[in-house]
Amino acid sequence: MSVTVELAVRGSTDPSVRYVGWSPIPASARLVDPDGATGPVTVVIAGQDTTTGGQVDLRATAGDAPVPALSLDLPTDGSRVPFLVAGRFGEPSTADGDAALVARDTAGSEVGALPLMVRVRKDADTLTTTERDRFLSAFSRLNDAGNGPFVQFREAHTNASSPQAHGDAGFLPWHRAYLLDLERELQAIDPAVALHYWRFDRPAPDLFTQDHIGGPRTSNGTVGLAPGNPLRTWTTDGQIGILRSPLFDPALSGAASSSGPVATEGDVVGHTGDYATLPRPLEIDPHGAAHVSFSGSISSIDTAARDPLFFLLHCNVDRLWAKWQWFNGHHDPSSPDAYPFGGAAGSPGAAPRGHNRLDTMWPWDGDTQPPRPPTAPRAALAASPTASAPGPMPTVGAMIDYQGRLDPATALGFDYDDVPF
Amino acid sequence: MTGTAERQAIALVDAVRADPSRRDELVPLLSERHPVHAGRSTAATARIRAWVLAACAEVGLPDEAVPFVREELESGIEAAPVAAAARAARSRPPLPDLEVLLLTAFASMRARDAPVSLASLRPGWPAPDATTALAELVATARWLGGRDDAPSLDRAAWSELDGSDLAPDVRRALGELLETVPEGHCCGAAPEAPTATTAPAVGIDLGARLEVVVEDHAGARHPLPDLLVGRPTAVAFFYTRCENPNKCSSTVTKLGHLQEELARRGADEVGLLLLTYDPAYDTPDRLSRYAEGRGLRLGGTARAGRAVQGHDRLDATLALQAGSAGGLVNRHAVELLLVDPRGTVAAAWSRTRWEPAEVADRLLALTPVPR
Amino acid sequence: MDPDEYRATYAAEMERARARSTASGDGPADPAVPDLLAGLGDRNLPAIERQAALTELRRQSFVAIAFRPHRPAYLALLRELVDTEAPPLLDDALEALALERDEHAQQVLVDGLRDPDRAKVGPARALELLSQDVHADHYDILEELADRDDDPVVRRLALRSLAADGDAVGLFQRIVSDPAEDTEARTISAVALQSLDREAFTSVAWDIVGDEGDDDEVRATCLTALGVDPAVTGGEGRGEQVQALRDTTSTPSLAKAAERFIETSPAEEGDPA
């Protein structure tokens, strides 16, 4: 007897939904050809049996511990049997489809398979050549020599919009939404791409090169980029190239300036206070300190978003928040430990609009009334085939439980390689 | 450049300072089309305007310079011209809506304030007369509050401005201002801001004679009259590299609001046409991305475009208020035209903000469409 | 990796780091901005201390709202440093102001470009700093600088700045098409042309990519640029042309550009394979 099993994730077999992080997502198996069986057919679902590529674990229900394989009885009427699948922490993919769900019959024969990718944000210094090149290529296509949609991201981060994103509790949630929006645009170009981070408290010899985010500056003042590097066409505000020169040696140390090295991961993650005491020190150091460890565009709020490295820097700031959340257990949006709440904008004790948990955030909310800027260059946050949250008009609170720990429906569809579920 | 135009401007300003009765001669220097602004950077044109407005403040602001003061207070983002406009407003009887203008400028400059010296065109630093835009705005409010010919200030509005993000001297000045404003003030009806002007553009025929060809956001080319004749049309000017969010970006956002307003009123026949000041750079891709990113839905009778033929004629005919340096626009006014179904300019807003609801009223008054 | 084990290991690492650290609590408080401004302006202090004060000020300026009350005094002091100091503080102050599109700094830089006797920094550094504001005050001299053959670096920087000028399309077309030109000037011109006039670039770029006698760095840059344009496909035989190039070239950057083009720019449906 040889049955045929259809495996699906997120209720679909469509290639666009076959991406997982560390958070469990719904999956299912069903018999599409029972091959004459009269009663339920037992199959074993597991990840791909290889030692390379992304690995997945399974759960029968949300409360279960993850296991490498799951035995399921599939009814002959073709109805779906649900289970959950998640990337196995520490074993992400390096290529699209290098992970899989595989169904085998009791004799061990493969009776169904679904390629997957365990897609997470990684330390940009550790990418494979292919990962790096696909990332740079998608980024460059988004910029499209200054003609592409990237311009809206550049316009959303300026002096004029700075109070929406800086100087208060919303600093971290705003940038989380901003990075997510950008990552989704990159994934619309190449779904195998994630936004990666620059771990600025460590040397990054493979990141600051001509083949990656840019090597030492050339005689024309811009960073050196190899002729085959897609960033070679990077253009913002009508200016080609990237003006950036580190004040430290990125091959030998983390970011540093005349004020000394930036704060380390341990300084942030080990912060034992609640959220209310976190963003301000973090915003100055390591965030501000990492920005001013260069001369060039990245060293000023108004011009920083001209440099693609800016997004890798902020991705690391976001990772530090995510890791702090994980280490200290701060994922509940309604807990003051995870986010302070003094009321909605305008009420006594509240933060400025856009910094309170229930507030929507500019520019995605389209609010152009003072004190918001008079224009909103990203009319809606990009949608994703792999996450329904946070919708086109995100709130501050929607950024907190990004893994959907309390409610899977609120998962934002990204993970970091070193922050487990 | 420190060229002839700048030397002549310096000589003129000096002469007017010596003889204030010649104050009207300062007005042309404020226009983006004056040769003193040609080829200059946005920052330099702002500085020149600030210097001329500061001279106006000394000799008395001419009536014809009032729109420039209003423009700076409504939409300026550079500290020097906003500071100079605030100062110039004190040199004549109060504008009817001055308090509203000051409050608007204060909100806009709050995040952008910078040190300003208005004593000369090329000040050195440290500057003995250094001030800031916020300091000048509060000083003008103080002046306004002390006038017998102006209603008393709205105490609540000014006290709401206080905050720890203000510089110590501005906070102090604001506190002193509030001490002079009586409690329990009721400001009455807000004064009317000026509406569509009788700018020279009104009455101009944008029909066939101009031979302007517009390439729209989808890459299709149309003689300009084909986009205008047969329906009332709002024509707004902008360019995608504008760095003043109170101008182009806001214009396009408001055109999107106008589109919604017209849709609510069932006015499908009305045309919306965004034309760029910068046709060499603003390709169809850039135009559509800019417009749609700001909520303006392009398609049907809503278009963004560039004049690929006859841009100079259009510029000269309408006397568009935009200067340039190299192939870039440097500084410009906010400009909106309402064109009737025959292709004639029926109303124009120049240097002043416009409100979508009022523009919708005026557009609908231009119907019915003659066929 | 088991997440629980990972947590235990991570917690132990954190504990060891804490024990090693000599810092107490959350570390020293950030220095007050007025003190930093005083330090930056104090001519009796060594330049290195004043530079450190400036770096700290720039770091704190990222918390925009908290920094706002000090911004006018900060900018006024930077302008004073531009007018009165020598390098390295002068250069640091010029850059901090250039990033703010400060008119005073721009004027000083443009004055120096027009009259080298007044220049506070060299022309290359001035052009680099001025390029932070596309609405610049020196377009009239950029073309002249772009014509200079005595200083290739200044020439390249001038070309880079002209990439914002819609009137410079013809200049870029001429330079990118001229094999006798400086390679760097040609690659800058290629990218500038793509930004300003997509159609003109695409046409000239395919000619260059197809010319085996041309400079491989320019060919690779053109092919890379074609590969990031979503409108360019491998149709009309381009895909085969690029495949052949990948298989035959001995220049790694050109092979890489070809490989990437093949990956990202498939032939459109209906195109011949």
Side-chain angles (χ1 to χ4, degrees), chain A residues 11 25 34 97 144 172 237 252 254 273 297 315 350:
Chain A
I25 62 159
D144 189 16
L172 292 168
D237 297 0
L252 300 177
S297 305
C315 195

Side-chain angles (χ1 to χ4, degrees), chain B residues 226-247:
Chain B
D226 289 6
L227 302 178
L228 300 175
V229 174
R231 68 178 80 87
T233 303
V235 180
F237 289 88
F238 85 118
Y239 75 116
T240 66
R241 289 193 282 184
C242 176
E243 286 174 348
N244 182 341
N246 296 331
K247 289 188 175 175

Side-chain angles (χ1 to χ4, degrees), chain B residues 331-353:
Chain B
R331 213 159 191 270
H332 63 91
V334 172
E335 298 184 277
L336 176 75
L337 311 176
L338 302 193
V339 182
D340 73 17
R342 287 174 298 278
T344 304
V345 179
W349 281 256
S350 181
R351 303 198 186 284
T352 183
R353 288 196 189 193

Side-chain angles (χ1 to χ4, degrees), chain A residues 252-273:
Chain A
L252 300 177
S253 81
S257 66
S258 52
S259 293
V262 299
T264 64
E265 175 179 309
D267 293 334
V268 178
V269 179
H271 179 83
T272 49

